[in-house]
Amino acid sequence: DTGVSQDPRHKITKRGQNVTFRCDPISEHNRLYWYRQTLGQGPEFLTYFQNEAQLEKSRLLSDRFSAERPKGSFSTLEIQRTEQGDSAMYLCASSLASEPRTSSKGELFFGEGSRLTVL
Amino acid sequence: SQQGEEDPQALSIQEGENATMNCSYKTSINNLQWYRQNSGRGLVHLILIRSNEREKHSGRLRVTLDTSKKSSSLLITASRAADTASYFCATVPNSGYSTLTFGKGTMLLVSP
């Protein structure tokens, strides 16, 4: 078990381009979360999955953002038509919940993040 | 939106001193957690305290929770330069999904 891994670690793109981030959670974890963090702020919740089902999405997740977890293992977060305001660290975390649609109530294990810079 | 508010925003101390960080939150919680983040890295879970607990210890960490005041404190005793990091409190609500909501964090600098 190597923990939560994210790829790429850094991405520099021009405004208007699409970017995709990948997250591989801890293998036995059934919950996967995406957070966004800007400089000097705490992580802000974007969305989370229980297995392959996307159970909750923040209103921060505009139409340009889409997340998938097709087989209940790895997840991708795609940002279309990037804007300068999308520049941030995108953090993925995973946890183990015993039953669907109930709180895991436990700790989250975070990856090292994917830093996006939109020029 | 961010539920927790940490205080102070920044704290600078010498090695060996104790560091105390406070967190206030707004809604009823199931548990409160503290995380640490080194610059440019991911977050690492430190400790979890449930709503029916008042104090918890883990090594040099001591966490208290006062649900009547909706506040928590994290005490790091005998600090080391390696404790330099940002510290975040995060809450899990009592109802609904378990989306962990973070505060803005306290940046701790421990000088040798």
Side-chain angles (χ1 to χ4, degrees):
Chain A
D1 180 7
T2 57
V4 178
S5 62
Q6 293 188 243
D7 182 69
R9 290 290 313 279
H10 299 95
K11 178 73 176 178
I12 300 173
T13 191
K14 292 183 179 179
R15 190 175 53 188
Q17 298 293 305
N18 299 345
V19 296
T20 299
F21 300 114
R22 176 181 169 123
C23 172
D24 288 88
I26 293 172
S27 56
E28 64 267 26
H29 284 181
N30 53 2
R31 286 199 172 179
L32 186 148
Y33 303 77
W34 285 100
Y35 282 81
R36 180 173 73 183
Q37 185 179 26
T38 54
L39 199 61
Q41 301 294 313
E44 294 179 295
F45 170 76
L46 292 179
T47 188
Y48 93 96
F49 294 83
Q50 172 96 9
N51 300 312
E52 66 277 5
Q54 190 173 18
L55 294 189
E56 191 174 356
K57 289 176 15 175
S58 161
R59 54 188 167 82
L60 291 176
L61 214 64
S62 75
D63 291 345
R64 297 184 297 105
F65 287 70
S66 63
E68 293 183 343
R69 194 183 183 197
K71 297 182 180 178
S73 55
F74 74 91
S75 175
T76 58
L77 176 68
E78 181 184 17
I79 308 173
Q80 295 182 326
R81 305 180 303 281
T82 52
E83 303 172 354
Q84 287 185 323
D86 296 332
S87 295
M89 175 81 89
Y90 290 85
L91 294 161
C92 176
S94 68
S95 70
L96 183 62
S98 57
E99 294 179 8
R101 292 189 176 271
T102 60
S103 299
S104 68
K105 304 280 197 289
E107 66 180 284
L108 300 189
F109 293 80
F110 280 84
E112 295 289 351
S114 292
R115 181 169 294 285
L116 173 65
T117 301
V118 182
L119 302 175
Chain B
S1 64
Q2 306 205 277
Q3 148 108 295
E5 290 287 336
E6 286 89 340
D7 170 60
Q9 287 187 328
L11 181 61
S12 183
I13 59 174
Q14 299 289 317
E15 259 189 334
E17 295 180 338
N18 296 342
T20 299
M21 288 159 267
N22 302 297
C23 167
S24 59
Y25 57 91
K26 297 174 185 173
T27 62
S28 176
I29 62 170
N30 176 278
N31 68 70
L32 184 144
Q33 304 177 29
W34 286 89
Y35 286 78
R36 167 198 165 120
Q37 184 179 37
N38 284 45
S39 180
R41 307 294 296 274
L43 284 81
V44 175
H45 180 265
L46 294 176
I47 195 165
L48 180 154
I49 186 165
R50 302 190 187 282
S51 58
N52 61 353
E53 297 175 311
R54 291 297 167 257
E55 188 170 313
K56 205 161 182 181
H57 296 254
S58 177
R60 294 185 294 114
L61 305 180
R62 173 178 167 253
V63 169
T64 62
L65 179 64
D66 186 336
T67 53
S68 66
K69 294 181 179 177
K70 291 187 168 58
S71 67
S72 172
S73 68
L74 171 68
L75 168 68
I76 304 174
T77 59
S79 63
R80 305 165 182 168
D83 294 329
T84 294
S86 291
Y87 292 82
F88 296 91
C89 72
T91 54
V92 174
N94 235 346
S95 60
Y97 297 119
S98 64
T99 51
L100 206 59
T101 303
F102 287 84
K104 293 184 178 182
T106 292
M107 189 178 302
L108 173 66
L109 173 64
V110 182
S111 302

